[in-house]
Amino acid sequence: MADQSYDQYREEMIGRANVADTPELVAYYERLKQLGTGALWTVANKIEPWEPISTSVPYLWRYKDLRDDVMKALDLVTPEQAGRRVVYLENPGRADVVAAVGWLYSGLQVMGPGELASSHRHSASALRFIMEGEGAFTNVDGHKMTLGANDFVLTPNGTWHEHGVAEGGTPCIWQDGLDIPLMNALEANFYEVHPDLQQAVSYPVDDSTATWAGTGLRPAGMAWSKPYSPLFKYEWAPTYEALTKYARVTDGSPFDGVMMEYVNPHTGGPVMQTIGASMQLLRPGERTKAHRQTGSFVYQCAKGKGWSIINGQRFDWQERDIFVVPAWMYHEHANASDSEDACLFTFNDLPVMRALGLYREEALAENGGHQPILT
Ligand code: 1HN
């Protein structure tokens, strides 16, 4: 191997199929096809790559480009007609499965004052990250929550949920994140509408945060047996406070800056079985190094401005912009300001990767840990 590049070596390694077509083989493949079969060596390289090859592309959706058209949907369709008034984010490589990246869906939902959507539940796990507006609320299994900008809300799989905006509020926009494409890929997706269309509010409003959001405190004697977090809402103010406090005592990660995971306070594990989420803070002027991971990532800028280099491509982002990092692509982040923090919210399918023993992570070794910018 001494005078060969590793790539050449990999190409030539034994076990890789390399059979040239002959008239006899082509006729043979045709016969196999008619028998409902195929020769493995014709597809082996495609179904068994050396490492993950995502069909998703790195992509950025700028809020300023989308906002007017999202608002326009308020005039064009009612929640009753549309079910949900949502503009979804389509990754050019994943249009066939309506994914923003990998097996993750993302969309921007808008609701106006006084509107209320009907209650439903599904196999998909879902989350909201509030982008703008006053008066939004969500009811999850009878727990009604009031929502403000940058609040992160769970509607775990199997929970009845519905959203609305109070009379006297303003039009509200939030990002919906779901594992719908994964549920469809697994052919395990069920959907039901609530028999009463609207479910009752069965607990005091905002009881979930009052009960479970104590910092380092857990309600004594409280049982919880569901496989997702009993805390359904993670508010922005305590999240940002936790990050700024932690930033005083840590250098943070060389790849992600100061990063904290949203966790299930009952277990310390991820918020839902299939979707994890975190918030990271990049200090003024901070520039991280590149790494890659199995798993797909949807980011939303919660504060400040900066850029990320994803697979050699630079994407400049600011508040409310959404961008995606496909599986196993190098990515690194930078805060563009010398005086202000930048914060990035992320949701991902890492709990799936970890549960299946598939999680891997690799730092970029070359070039001081930074990718050359290709475009
Ligand atoms: C859903 O239930 C909501 O609850 C939003 O508002 C978007 C996209 C696909 C499937 C279910 C919601 C969704 C969704």
Side-chain angles (χ1 to χ4, degrees):
M1 218 182 101
D3 55 355
Q4 270 184 337
S5 76
Y6 182 62
D7 284 348
Q8 276 175 320
Y9 164 75
R10 294 198 322 178
E11 287 302 313
E12 289 162 20
M13 256 173 78
I14 44 161
R16 300 308 279 175
N18 184 18
V19 182
D21 279 354
T22 62
E24 198 182 7
L25 272 172
V26 170
Y28 175 67
Y29 297 151
E30 201 43 51
R31 281 204 308 286
L32 288 181
K33 197 175 169 62
Q34 280 163 18
L35 295 169
T37 61
L40 179 60
W41 61 86
T42 62
V43 295
N45 296 354
K46 183 173 141 209
I47 66 167
E48 200 57 61
W50 295 110
E51 56 186 41
I53 303 171
S54 183
T55 60
S56 306
V57 300
Y59 206 87
L60 168 79
W61 292 268
R62 283 193 186 84
Y63 193 66
K64 71 171 169 48
D65 297 339
L66 300 181
R67 185 182 182 273
D68 288 353
D69 277 312
V70 172
M71 285 290 182
K72 181 111 187 101
L74 280 171
D75 307 327
L76 295 175
V77 290
T78 64
E80 290 76 30
Q81 290 171 319
R84 284 166 298 268
R85 202 195 279 111
V86 179
V87 171
Y88 69 87
L89 307 184
E90 182 176 280
N91 191 292
R94 301 295 281 165
D96 52 339
V97 291
V98 192
V101 63
W103 299 108
L104 296 173
Y105 161 101
S106 169
L108 302 190
Q109 181 158 182
V110 59
M111 291 189 84
E115 287 184 342
L116 186 60
S118 55
S119 183
H120 58 274
R121 65 179 178 185
H122 36 66
S123 314
S125 298
L127 60 89
R128 330 279 148 199
F129 196 82
I130 312 304
M131 302 179 96
E132 68 166 282
E134 303 291 329
F137 60 86
T138 284
N139 183 350
V140 182
D141 273 350
H143 301 272
K144 180 173 171 174
M145 286 162 275
T146 54
L147 307 175
N150 284 352
D151 285 354
F152 166 50
V153 192
L154 311 181
T155 59
N157 58 329
T159 57
W160 293 112
H161 58 279
E162 73 234 35
H163 322 291
V165 176
E167 299 279 359
T170 63
C172 291
I173 301 179
W174 57 84
Q175 180 184 185
D176 290 319
L178 292 95
D179 59 5
I180 276 263
L182 178 65
M183 292 303 108
N184 288 331
L186 296 173
E187 301 178 342
N189 203 7
F190 290 88
Y191 184 99
E192 268 176 280
V193 174
H194 196 282
D196 303 331
L197 286 183
Q198 234 68 66
Q199 63 177 325
V201 177
S202 321
Y203 305 90
V205 172
D206 283 324
D207 75 310
S208 144
T209 33
T211 307
W212 290 101
T215 43
L217 296 165
R218 214 166 95 169
M222 180 71 107
W224 182 258
S225 56
K226 306 273 175 56
Y228 48 78
S229 171
L231 177 59
F232 293 138
K233 174 173 70 164
Y234 298 74
E235 292 175 349
W236 167 242
T239 303
Y240 183 61
E241 192 190 349
L243 277 169
T244 48
K245 277 188 181 164
Y246 183 37
R248 279 184 222 136
V249 297
T250 182
D251 291 339
S253 144
F255 311 110
D256 285 310
V258 179
M259 186 173 202
M260 296 185 101
E261 288 174 1
Y262 294 96
V263 293
N264 174 339
H266 192 64
T267 62
V271 290
M272 295 186 283
Q273 286 165 289
T274 52
I275 301 183
S278 51
M279 181 74 79
Q280 69 199 82
L281 179 149
L282 303 168
R283 296 184 166 95
E286 179 162 7
R287 172 140 193 221
T288 71
K289 292 187 172 185
H291 73 158
R292 58 183 178 179
Q293 296 151 283
T294 48
S296 303
F297 299 81
V298 179
Y299 289 83
Q300 181 182 319
C301 174
K303 183 176 188 294
K305 57 184 193 302
W307 73 86
S308 299
I309 303 169
I310 309 166
N311 207 31
Q313 233 183 312
R314 174 169 164 155
F315 295 91
D316 286 82
W317 40 257
Q318 58 183 358
E319 243 176 84
R320 304 188 184 111
D321 289 351
I322 297 174
F323 62 95
V324 293
V325 174
W328 208 239
M329 287 190 189
Y330 282 114
H331 54 281
E332 59 197 272
H333 309 293
N335 182 343
S337 167
D338 287 327
S339 54
E340 302 259 337
D341 297 329
C343 290
L344 292 172
F345 167 78
T346 322
F347 72 92
N348 56 61
D349 54 6
L350 294 184
V352 177
M353 295 300 134
R354 294 206 164 97
L356 301 179
L358 300 173
Y359 184 70
R360 285 208 208 186
E361 188 178 347
E362 191 173 273
L364 180 66
E366 302 90 51
N367 206 25
H370 294 293
Q371 305 160 81
I373 298 177
L374 306 172
T375 49

